[in-house]
Amino acid sequence: MTTFLQIITNGLMLGGLFAIVAIGLTLIFGIVKVVNFAHGEFLMVGMFLTWMITTRMGLHPFASVILVVPAMFVLGALTQRLLIQPLMGAEDDHVQIFATVGLSTALMNLALLTYGADIANTPTFGLRAPIELGPVRILTGQLYIFLAAIALVIALQLFLKNSQTGRAIRAVAQHRVAAELMGVNVPRIYILSFGLGAACVGLAAVLIAPLYPTSSNIGTYFVLTAFVVVVLGGLGSIPGAFFGAMVIGIVDSAAGYYIGSGLREAVVFGLFLVILILRPSGLFGKRMTLSHLS
């Protein structure tokens, strides 16, 4: 029984990690309707910024959130304004996707040019210390990530439901043309939304950096699962991304223990394909998307 509880706990902690990476991705898609294939490289940039601030200033990694999150917001806003926005009128929507793929490649090679292929290790400041919670054990940093994922979902939901800007964002997500006719500045909402999505992944980078080594390809490790989480939870659904991440985290943890670590990804993507065939809109795609918030 203790082993089973530990597997579930590990899965929930892993799900929190996947969720905090996926929330920014689903936020961007739910509003701008663009699949950002540079999302993993945004995470990589944020992790390198966290490493630089922590090692050169001697600060706790979490203190770098003051600089990393605004910097990532600016990066996301500039990406939307300078790269995506000029392509919004293109006849083929795939052009925008190819643009983000190009940005992904450019950022990855820029990181290689700047930092080389070496791995950067952010000081942990005790975030790898284990915590005993009854019969189970988790890392301090994992608990912070899980709690931060919950707080982020709640904060975004409150922002989208209760603020004037949030209502404008929901209007654009529901029907861009109608929102524009009602006086909403759609291009500005797109820039803001892309910036918020990048800021979310900046928060994820700050929390993840002390637990994982940073390298130029670290984003690929997380973003593939993040795409699975986003589709599983329903494209554009913030709560769906969270609960989808919990499902994937538990499945990943259980598969690693009962089947073998080498087959974990096969099981996760196999489950993803089954759910995609049975419910193409995802587990929460009909009920919990940004456009259906009330």
Side-chain angles (χ1 to χ4, degrees), residues 55-88:
T55 54
R56 296 184 183 181
M57 296 184 178
L59 300 175
H60 191 284
F62 289 176
S64 64
V65 72
I66 301 173
L67 298 175
V68 173
V69 170
M72 295 305 299
F73 178 90
V74 171
L75 176 60
L78 289 176
T79 298
Q80 169 62 28
R81 178 63 185 87
L82 301 178
L83 184 66
I84 304 300
Q85 199 115 304
L87 301 175
M88 295 294 283

PDB file of all heavy atoms in Angstrom, residues 55-88:
ATOM      1  N   THR A  55      23.479  32.197 -10.181  1.00  0.00           N
ATOM      2  CA  THR A  55      24.909  31.971 -10.007  1.00  0.00           C
ATOM      3  C   THR A  55      25.709  33.267  -9.935  1.00  0.00           C
ATOM      4  O   THR A  55      26.685  33.350  -9.177  1.00  0.00           O
ATOM      5  CB  THR A  55      25.453  31.109 -11.160  1.00  0.00           C
ATOM      6  OG1 THR A  55      25.107  31.709 -12.423  1.00  0.00           O
ATOM      7  CG2 THR A  55      24.883  29.702 -11.098  1.00  0.00           C
ATOM      8  N   ARG A  56      25.299  34.273 -10.680  1.00  0.00           N
ATOM      9  CA  ARG A  56      26.082  35.510 -10.730  1.00  0.00           C
ATOM     10  C   ARG A  56      25.708  36.500  -9.629  1.00  0.00           C
ATOM     11  O   ARG A  56      26.520  37.333  -9.246  1.00  0.00           O
ATOM     12  CB  ARG A  56      25.939  36.161 -12.101  1.00  0.00           C
ATOM     13  CG  ARG A  56      26.510  35.288 -13.210  1.00  0.00           C
ATOM     14  CD  ARG A  56      26.455  35.959 -14.561  1.00  0.00           C
ATOM     15  NE  ARG A  56      26.945  35.069 -15.615  1.00  0.00           N
ATOM     16  CZ  ARG A  56      27.024  35.391 -16.894  1.00  0.00           C
ATOM     17  NH1 ARG A  56      26.623  36.593 -17.292  1.00  0.00           N
ATOM     18  NH2 ARG A  56      27.486  34.530 -17.781  1.00  0.00           N
ATOM     19  N   MET A  57      24.481  36.422  -9.146  1.00  0.00           N
ATOM     20  CA  MET A  57      24.058  37.334  -8.085  1.00  0.00           C
ATOM     21  C   MET A  57      23.988  36.657  -6.722  1.00  0.00           C
ATOM     22  O   MET A  57      23.804  37.321  -5.703  1.00  0.00           O
ATOM     23  CB  MET A  57      22.690  37.942  -8.422  1.00  0.00           C
ATOM     24  CG  MET A  57      22.685  38.817  -9.657  1.00  0.00           C
ATOM     25  SD  MET A  57      21.048  39.584  -9.920  1.00  0.00           S
ATOM     26  CE  MET A  57      21.379  40.572 -11.376  1.00  0.00           C
ATOM     27  N   GLY A  58      24.081  35.334  -6.733  1.00  0.00           N
ATOM     28  CA  GLY A  58      24.016  34.606  -5.470  1.00  0.00           C
ATOM     29  C   GLY A  58      22.644  34.592  -4.834  1.00  0.00           C
ATOM     30  O   GLY A  58      22.511  34.384  -3.627  1.00  0.00           O
ATOM     31  N   LEU A  59      21.601  34.809  -5.630  1.00  0.00           N
ATOM     32  CA  LEU A  59      20.243  34.851  -5.103  1.00  0.00           C
ATOM     33  C   LEU A  59      19.620  33.467  -5.080  1.00  0.00           C
ATOM     34  O   LEU A  59      20.065  32.546  -5.779  1.00  0.00           O
ATOM     35  CB  LEU A  59      19.379  35.779  -5.961  1.00  0.00           C
ATOM     36  CG  LEU A  59      19.810  37.241  -6.057  1.00  0.00           C
ATOM     37  CD1 LEU A  59      18.907  37.979  -7.047  1.00  0.00           C
ATOM     38  CD2 LEU A  59      19.746  37.910  -4.694  1.00  0.00           C
ATOM     39  N   HIS A  60      18.595  33.314  -4.270  1.00  0.00           N
ATOM     40  CA  HIS A  60      17.793  32.095  -4.307  1.00  0.00           C
ATOM     41  C   HIS A  60      17.138  32.011  -5.686  1.00  0.00           C
ATOM     42  O   HIS A  60      16.710  33.032  -6.239  1.00  0.00           O
ATOM     43  CB  HIS A  60      16.732  32.139  -3.210  1.00  0.00           C
ATOM     44  CG  HIS A  60      16.020  30.842  -2.991  1.00  0.00           C
ATOM     45  ND1 HIS A  60      15.036  30.374  -3.850  1.00  0.00           N
ATOM     46  CD2 HIS A  60      16.150  29.898  -2.020  1.00  0.00           C
ATOM     47  CE1 HIS A  60      14.595  29.208  -3.413  1.00  0.00           C
ATOM     48  NE2 HIS A  60      15.246  28.906  -2.299  1.00  0.00           N
ATOM     49  N   PRO A  61      17.029  30.789  -6.263  1.00  0.00           N
ATOM     50  CA  PRO A  61      16.433  30.686  -7.608  1.00  0.00           C
ATOM     51  C   PRO A  61      15.050  31.319  -7.708  1.00  0.00           C
ATOM     52  O   PRO A  61      14.722  31.937  -8.721  1.00  0.00           O
ATOM     53  CB  PRO A  61      16.362  29.166  -7.831  1.00  0.00           C
ATOM     54  CG  PRO A  61      17.439  28.609  -6.971  1.00  0.00           C
ATOM     55  CD  PRO A  61      17.527  29.503  -5.776  1.00  0.00           C
ATOM     56  N   PHE A  62      14.257  31.195  -6.654  1.00  0.00           N
ATOM     57  CA  PHE A  62      12.904  31.741  -6.710  1.00  0.00           C
ATOM     58  C   PHE A  62      12.912  33.273  -6.759  1.00  0.00           C
ATOM     59  O   PHE A  62      11.946  33.874  -7.227  1.00  0.00           O
ATOM     60  CB  PHE A  62      12.089  31.258  -5.521  1.00  0.00           C
ATOM     61  CG  PHE A  62      11.735  29.791  -5.577  1.00  0.00           C
ATOM     62  CD1 PHE A  62      11.068  29.177  -4.522  1.00  0.00           C
ATOM     63  CD2 PHE A  62      12.065  29.026  -6.675  1.00  0.00           C
ATOM     64  CE1 PHE A  62      10.739  27.841  -4.578  1.00  0.00           C
ATOM     65  CE2 PHE A  62      11.754  27.671  -6.739  1.00  0.00           C
ATOM     66  CZ  PHE A  62      11.084  27.077  -5.686  1.00  0.00           C
ATOM     67  N   ALA A  63      13.975  33.896  -6.271  1.00  0.00           N
ATOM     68  CA  ALA A  63      14.058  35.362  -6.319  1.00  0.00           C
ATOM     69  C   ALA A  63      14.184  35.854  -7.753  1.00  0.00           C
ATOM     70  O   ALA A  63      13.822  37.004  -8.054  1.00  0.00           O
ATOM     71  CB  ALA A  63      15.236  35.849  -5.482  1.00  0.00           C
ATOM     72  N   SER A  64      14.675  35.001  -8.642  1.00  0.00           N
ATOM     73  CA  SER A  64      14.847  35.403 -10.041  1.00  0.00           C
ATOM     74  C   SER A  64      13.520  35.577 -10.761  1.00  0.00           C
ATOM     75  O   SER A  64      13.485  36.105 -11.876  1.00  0.00           O
ATOM     76  CB  SER A  64      15.704  34.371 -10.785  1.00  0.00           C
ATOM     77  OG  SER A  64      15.061  33.113 -10.838  1.00  0.00           O
ATOM     78  N   VAL A  65      12.411  35.157 -10.120  1.00  0.00           N
ATOM     79  CA  VAL A  65      11.101  35.315 -10.751  1.00  0.00           C
ATOM     80  C   VAL A  65      10.805  36.786 -11.031  1.00  0.00           C
ATOM     81  O   VAL A  65      10.094  37.116 -11.992  1.00  0.00           O
ATOM     82  CB  VAL A  65      10.002  34.692  -9.852  1.00  0.00           C
ATOM     83  CG1 VAL A  65       9.753  35.540  -8.607  1.00  0.00           C
ATOM     84  CG2 VAL A  65       8.706  34.511 -10.637  1.00  0.00           C
ATOM     85  N   ILE A  66      11.375  37.682 -10.224  1.00  0.00           N
ATOM     86  CA  ILE A  66      11.143  39.113 -10.388  1.00  0.00           C
ATOM     87  C   ILE A  66      11.654  39.606 -11.735  1.00  0.00           C
ATOM     88  O   ILE A  66      11.097  40.537 -12.330  1.00  0.00           O
ATOM     89  CB  ILE A  66      11.819  39.897  -9.248  1.00  0.00           C
ATOM     90  CG1 ILE A  66      11.257  39.446  -7.899  1.00  0.00           C
ATOM     91  CG2 ILE A  66      11.637  41.395  -9.419  1.00  0.00           C
ATOM     92  CD1 ILE A  66      11.990  40.039  -6.714  1.00  0.00           C
ATOM     93  N   LEU A  67      12.715  38.995 -12.245  1.00  0.00           N
ATOM     94  CA  LEU A  67      13.293  39.391 -13.523  1.00  0.00           C
ATOM     95  C   LEU A  67      12.891  38.464 -14.668  1.00  0.00           C
ATOM     96  O   LEU A  67      12.657  38.921 -15.792  1.00  0.00           O
ATOM     97  CB  LEU A  67      14.820  39.425 -13.410  1.00  0.00           C
ATOM     98  CG  LEU A  67      15.417  40.420 -12.412  1.00  0.00           C
ATOM     99  CD1 LEU A  67      16.928  40.240 -12.345  1.00  0.00           C
ATOM    100  CD2 LEU A  67      15.065  41.847 -12.803  1.00  0.00           C
ATOM    101  N   VAL A  68      12.797  37.175 -14.378  1.00  0.00           N
ATOM    102  CA  VAL A  68      12.565  36.197 -15.445  1.00  0.00           C
ATOM    103  C   VAL A  68      11.156  36.315 -16.013  1.00  0.00           C
ATOM    104  O   VAL A  68      10.974  36.328 -17.245  1.00  0.00           O
ATOM    105  CB  VAL A  68      12.823  34.763 -14.930  1.00  0.00           C
ATOM    106  CG1 VAL A  68      12.417  33.735 -15.990  1.00  0.00           C
ATOM    107  CG2 VAL A  68      14.294  34.590 -14.572  1.00  0.00           C
ATOM    108  N   VAL A  69      10.151  36.399 -15.153  1.00  0.00           N
ATOM    109  CA  VAL A  69       8.769  36.448 -15.640  1.00  0.00           C
ATOM    110  C   VAL A  69       8.514  37.684 -16.507  1.00  0.00           C
ATOM    111  O   VAL A  69       7.962  37.559 -17.614  1.00  0.00           O
ATOM    112  CB  VAL A  69       7.772  36.361 -14.464  1.00  0.00           C
ATOM    113  CG1 VAL A  69       6.351  36.645 -14.930  1.00  0.00           C
ATOM    114  CG2 VAL A  69       7.843  34.976 -13.828  1.00  0.00           C
ATOM    115  N   PRO A  70       8.898  38.903 -16.088  1.00  0.00           N
ATOM    116  CA  PRO A  70       8.718  40.054 -16.993  1.00  0.00           C
ATOM    117  C   PRO A  70       9.514  39.917 -18.290  1.00  0.00           C
ATOM    118  O   PRO A  70       9.030  40.323 -19.358  1.00  0.00           O
ATOM    119  CB  PRO A  70       9.226  41.239 -16.163  1.00  0.00           C
ATOM    120  CG  PRO A  70       9.085  40.807 -14.742  1.00  0.00           C
ATOM    121  CD  PRO A  70       9.364  39.338 -14.752  1.00  0.00           C
ATOM    122  N   ALA A  71      10.732  39.371 -18.201  1.00  0.00           N
ATOM    123  CA  ALA A  71      11.544  39.201 -19.414  1.00  0.00           C
ATOM    124  C   ALA A  71      10.871  38.247 -20.393  1.00  0.00           C
ATOM    125  O   ALA A  71      10.854  38.492 -21.606  1.00  0.00           O
ATOM    126  CB  ALA A  71      12.934  38.689 -19.048  1.00  0.00           C
ATOM    127  N   MET A  72      10.274  37.184 -19.865  1.00  0.00           N
ATOM    128  CA  MET A  72       9.597  36.230 -20.741  1.00  0.00           C
ATOM    129  C   MET A  72       8.305  36.823 -21.305  1.00  0.00           C
ATOM    130  O   MET A  72       7.923  36.525 -22.437  1.00  0.00           O
ATOM    131  CB  MET A  72       9.307  34.935 -19.977  1.00  0.00           C
ATOM    132  CG  MET A  72      10.562  34.185 -19.547  1.00  0.00           C
ATOM    133  SD  MET A  72      11.680  33.835 -20.922  1.00  0.00           S
ATOM    134  CE  MET A  72      10.652  32.815 -21.951  1.00  0.00           C
ATOM    135  N   PHE A  73       7.640  37.658 -20.511  1.00  0.00           N
ATOM    136  CA  PHE A  73       6.450  38.343 -21.031  1.00  0.00           C
ATOM    137  C   PHE A  73       6.831  39.207 -22.239  1.00  0.00           C
ATOM    138  O   PHE A  73       6.133  39.198 -23.258  1.00  0.00           O
ATOM    139  CB  PHE A  73       5.824  39.215 -19.940  1.00  0.00           C
ATOM    140  CG  PHE A  73       4.622  39.995 -20.410  1.00  0.00           C
ATOM    141  CD1 PHE A  73       3.353  39.450 -20.323  1.00  0.00           C
ATOM    142  CD2 PHE A  73       4.766  41.278 -20.954  1.00  0.00           C
ATOM    143  CE1 PHE A  73       2.239  40.176 -20.765  1.00  0.00           C
ATOM    144  CE2 PHE A  73       3.666  41.998 -21.397  1.00  0.00           C
ATOM    145  CZ  PHE A  73       2.399  41.440 -21.302  1.00  0.00           C
ATOM    146  N   VAL A  74       7.920  39.936 -22.124  1.00  0.00           N
ATOM    147  CA  VAL A  74       8.381  40.783 -23.231  1.00  0.00           C
ATOM    148  C   VAL A  74       8.740  39.933 -24.438  1.00  0.00           C
ATOM    149  O   VAL A  74       8.395  40.273 -25.582  1.00  0.00           O
ATOM    150  CB  VAL A  74       9.584  41.637 -22.781  1.00  0.00           C
ATOM    151  CG1 VAL A  74      10.202  42.360 -23.974  1.00  0.00           C
ATOM    152  CG2 VAL A  74       9.152  42.649 -21.725  1.00  0.00           C
ATOM    153  N   LEU A  75       9.423  38.801 -24.204  1.00  0.00           N
ATOM    154  CA  LEU A  75       9.785  37.912 -25.312  1.00  0.00           C
ATOM    155  C   LEU A  75       8.536  37.404 -26.020  1.00  0.00           C
ATOM    156  O   LEU A  75       8.471  37.383 -27.256  1.00  0.00           O
ATOM    157  CB  LEU A  75      10.617  36.737 -24.793  1.00  0.00           C
ATOM    158  CG  LEU A  75      10.994  35.662 -25.829  1.00  0.00           C
ATOM    159  CD1 LEU A  75      11.822  36.258 -26.956  1.00  0.00           C
ATOM    160  CD2 LEU A  75      11.743  34.511 -25.160  1.00  0.00           C
ATOM    161  N   GLY A  76       7.524  36.988 -25.250  1.00  0.00           N
ATOM    162  CA  GLY A  76       6.290  36.509 -25.856  1.00  0.00           C
ATOM    163  C   GLY A  76       5.556  37.597 -26.609  1.00  0.00           C
ATOM    164  O   GLY A  76       5.047  37.378 -27.725  1.00  0.00           O
ATOM    165  N   ALA A  77       5.476  38.797 -26.023  1.00  0.00           N
ATOM    166  CA  ALA A  77       4.784  39.908 -26.681  1.00  0.00           C
ATOM    167  C   ALA A  77       5.476  40.290 -27.984  1.00  0.00           C
ATOM    168  O   ALA A  77       4.813  40.549 -28.997  1.00  0.00           O
ATOM    169  CB  ALA A  77       4.725  41.108 -25.731  1.00  0.00           C
ATOM    170  N   LEU A  78       6.808  40.323 -27.968  1.00  0.00           N
ATOM    171  CA  LEU A  78       7.550  40.653 -29.188  1.00  0.00           C
ATOM    172  C   LEU A  78       7.382  39.568 -30.249  1.00  0.00           C
ATOM    173  O   LEU A  78       7.319  39.864 -31.451  1.00  0.00           O
ATOM    174  CB  LEU A  78       9.033  40.842 -28.858  1.00  0.00           C
ATOM    175  CG  LEU A  78       9.396  42.108 -28.071  1.00  0.00           C
ATOM    176  CD1 LEU A  78      10.880  42.114 -27.721  1.00  0.00           C
ATOM    177  CD2 LEU A  78       9.034  43.365 -28.864  1.00  0.00           C
ATOM    178  N   THR A  79       7.322  38.313 -29.804  1.00  0.00           N
ATOM    179  CA  THR A  79       7.118  37.218 -30.753  1.00  0.00           C
ATOM    180  C   THR A  79       5.783  37.373 -31.474  1.00  0.00           C
ATOM    181  O   THR A  79       5.701  37.222 -32.702  1.00  0.00           O
ATOM    182  CB  THR A  79       7.155  35.862 -30.021  1.00  0.00           C
ATOM    183  OG1 THR A  79       8.444  35.685 -29.413  1.00  0.00           O
ATOM    184  CG2 THR A  79       6.900  34.720 -30.991  1.00  0.00           C
ATOM    185  N   GLN A  80       4.739  37.688 -30.717  1.00  0.00           N
ATOM    186  CA  GLN A  80       3.425  37.888 -31.327  1.00  0.00           C
ATOM    187  C   GLN A  80       3.417  39.104 -32.247  1.00  0.00           C
ATOM    188  O   GLN A  80       2.923  39.041 -33.377  1.00  0.00           O
ATOM    189  CB  GLN A  80       2.365  38.036 -30.224  1.00  0.00           C
ATOM    190  CG  GLN A  80       1.018  38.513 -30.710  1.00  0.00           C
ATOM    191  CD  GLN A  80       0.354  37.572 -31.690  1.00  0.00           C
ATOM    192  OE1 GLN A  80       0.600  36.368 -31.655  1.00  0.00           O
ATOM    193  NE2 GLN A  80      -0.475  38.108 -32.584  1.00  0.00           N
ATOM    194  N   ARG A  81       3.993  40.210 -31.771  1.00  0.00           N
ATOM    195  CA  ARG A  81       3.929  41.465 -32.538  1.00  0.00           C
ATOM    196  C   ARG A  81       4.786  41.426 -33.794  1.00  0.00           C
ATOM    197  O   ARG A  81       4.363  41.917 -34.857  1.00  0.00           O
ATOM    198  CB  ARG A  81       4.378  42.634 -31.639  1.00  0.00           C
ATOM    199  CG  ARG A  81       4.385  43.985 -32.349  1.00  0.00           C
ATOM    200  CD  ARG A  81       2.997  44.371 -32.790  1.00  0.00           C
ATOM    201  NE  ARG A  81       2.978  45.608 -33.573  1.00  0.00           N
ATOM    202  CZ  ARG A  81       3.162  45.658 -34.884  1.00  0.00           C
ATOM    203  NH1 ARG A  81       3.352  44.539 -35.585  1.00  0.00           N
ATOM    204  NH2 ARG A  81       3.127  46.810 -35.523  1.00  0.00           N
ATOM    205  N   LEU A  82       5.972  40.868 -33.694  1.00  0.00           N
ATOM    206  CA  LEU A  82       6.914  40.944 -34.809  1.00  0.00           C
ATOM    207  C   LEU A  82       6.919  39.707 -35.707  1.00  0.00           C
ATOM    208  O   LEU A  82       7.285  39.809 -36.884  1.00  0.00           O
ATOM    209  CB  LEU A  82       8.335  41.170 -34.268  1.00  0.00           C
ATOM    210  CG  LEU A  82       8.533  42.436 -33.420  1.00  0.00           C
ATOM    211  CD1 LEU A  82       9.970  42.509 -32.921  1.00  0.00           C
ATOM    212  CD2 LEU A  82       8.167  43.687 -34.221  1.00  0.00           C
ATOM    213  N   LEU A  83       6.517  38.563 -35.157  1.00  0.00           N
ATOM    214  CA  LEU A  83       6.598  37.329 -35.937  1.00  0.00           C
ATOM    215  C   LEU A  83       5.226  36.792 -36.334  1.00  0.00           C
ATOM    216  O   LEU A  83       4.992  36.483 -37.506  1.00  0.00           O
ATOM    217  CB  LEU A  83       7.360  36.263 -35.132  1.00  0.00           C
ATOM    218  CG  LEU A  83       7.608  34.927 -35.846  1.00  0.00           C
ATOM    219  CD1 LEU A  83       8.547  35.138 -37.037  1.00  0.00           C
ATOM    220  CD2 LEU A  83       8.206  33.905 -34.880  1.00  0.00           C
ATOM    221  N   ILE A  84       4.320  36.700 -35.373  1.00  0.00           N
ATOM    222  CA  ILE A  84       3.028  36.077 -35.649  1.00  0.00           C
ATOM    223  C   ILE A  84       2.036  37.057 -36.273  1.00  0.00           C
ATOM    224  O   ILE A  84       1.351  36.725 -37.250  1.00  0.00           O
ATOM    225  CB  ILE A  84       2.427  35.491 -34.348  1.00  0.00           C
ATOM    226  CG1 ILE A  84       3.411  34.509 -33.699  1.00  0.00           C
ATOM    227  CG2 ILE A  84       1.098  34.811 -34.643  1.00  0.00           C
ATOM    228  CD1 ILE A  84       3.767  33.331 -34.563  1.00  0.00           C
ATOM    229  N   GLN A  85       1.957  38.266 -35.739  1.00  0.00           N
ATOM    230  CA  GLN A  85       0.957  39.230 -36.189  1.00  0.00           C
ATOM    231  C   GLN A  85       1.056  39.540 -37.691  1.00  0.00           C
ATOM    232  O   GLN A  85       0.025  39.598 -38.371  1.00  0.00           O
ATOM    233  CB  GLN A  85       1.071  40.525 -35.384  1.00  0.00           C
ATOM    234  CG  GLN A  85      -0.167  41.404 -35.452  1.00  0.00           C
ATOM    235  CD  GLN A  85      -0.835  41.546 -34.099  1.00  0.00           C
ATOM    236  OE1 GLN A  85      -1.187  40.555 -33.475  1.00  0.00           O
ATOM    237  NE2 GLN A  85      -0.987  42.764 -33.649  1.00  0.00           N
ATOM    238  N   PRO A  86       2.255  39.745 -38.247  1.00  0.00           N
ATOM    239  CA  PRO A  86       2.310  40.011 -39.698  1.00  0.00           C
ATOM    240  C   PRO A  86       1.821  38.841 -40.548  1.00  0.00           C
ATOM    241  O   PRO A  86       1.509  39.037 -41.721  1.00  0.00           O
ATOM    242  CB  PRO A  86       3.816  40.265 -39.940  1.00  0.00           C
ATOM    243  CG  PRO A  86       4.341  40.709 -38.616  1.00  0.00           C
ATOM    244  CD  PRO A  86       3.570  39.909 -37.610  1.00  0.00           C
ATOM    245  N   LEU A  87       1.742  37.647 -39.951  1.00  0.00           N
ATOM    246  CA  LEU A  87       1.322  36.468 -40.706  1.00  0.00           C
ATOM    247  C   LEU A  87      -0.132  36.097 -40.457  1.00  0.00           C
ATOM    248  O   LEU A  87      -0.615  35.099 -40.997  1.00  0.00           O
ATOM    249  CB  LEU A  87       2.217  35.264 -40.333  1.00  0.00           C
ATOM    250  CG  LEU A  87       3.716  35.442 -40.577  1.00  0.00           C
ATOM    251  CD1 LEU A  87       4.484  34.234 -40.055  1.00  0.00           C
ATOM    252  CD2 LEU A  87       3.994  35.633 -42.066  1.00  0.00           C
ATOM    253  N   MET A  88      -0.837  36.894 -39.627  1.00  0.00           N
ATOM    254  CA  MET A  88      -2.208  36.539 -39.263  1.00  0.00           C
ATOM    255  C   MET A  88      -3.141  36.554 -40.469  1.00  0.00           C
ATOM    256  O   MET A  88      -4.136  35.842 -40.501  1.00  0.00           O
ATOM    257  CB  MET A  88      -2.738  37.513 -38.198  1.00  0.00           C
ATOM    258  CG  MET A  88      -2.021  37.444 -36.863  1.00  0.00           C
ATOM    259  SD  MET A  88      -2.247  35.888 -35.984  1.00  0.00           S
ATOM    260  CE  MET A  88      -3.900  36.082 -35.339  1.00  0.00           C
TER     261      MET A  88
END
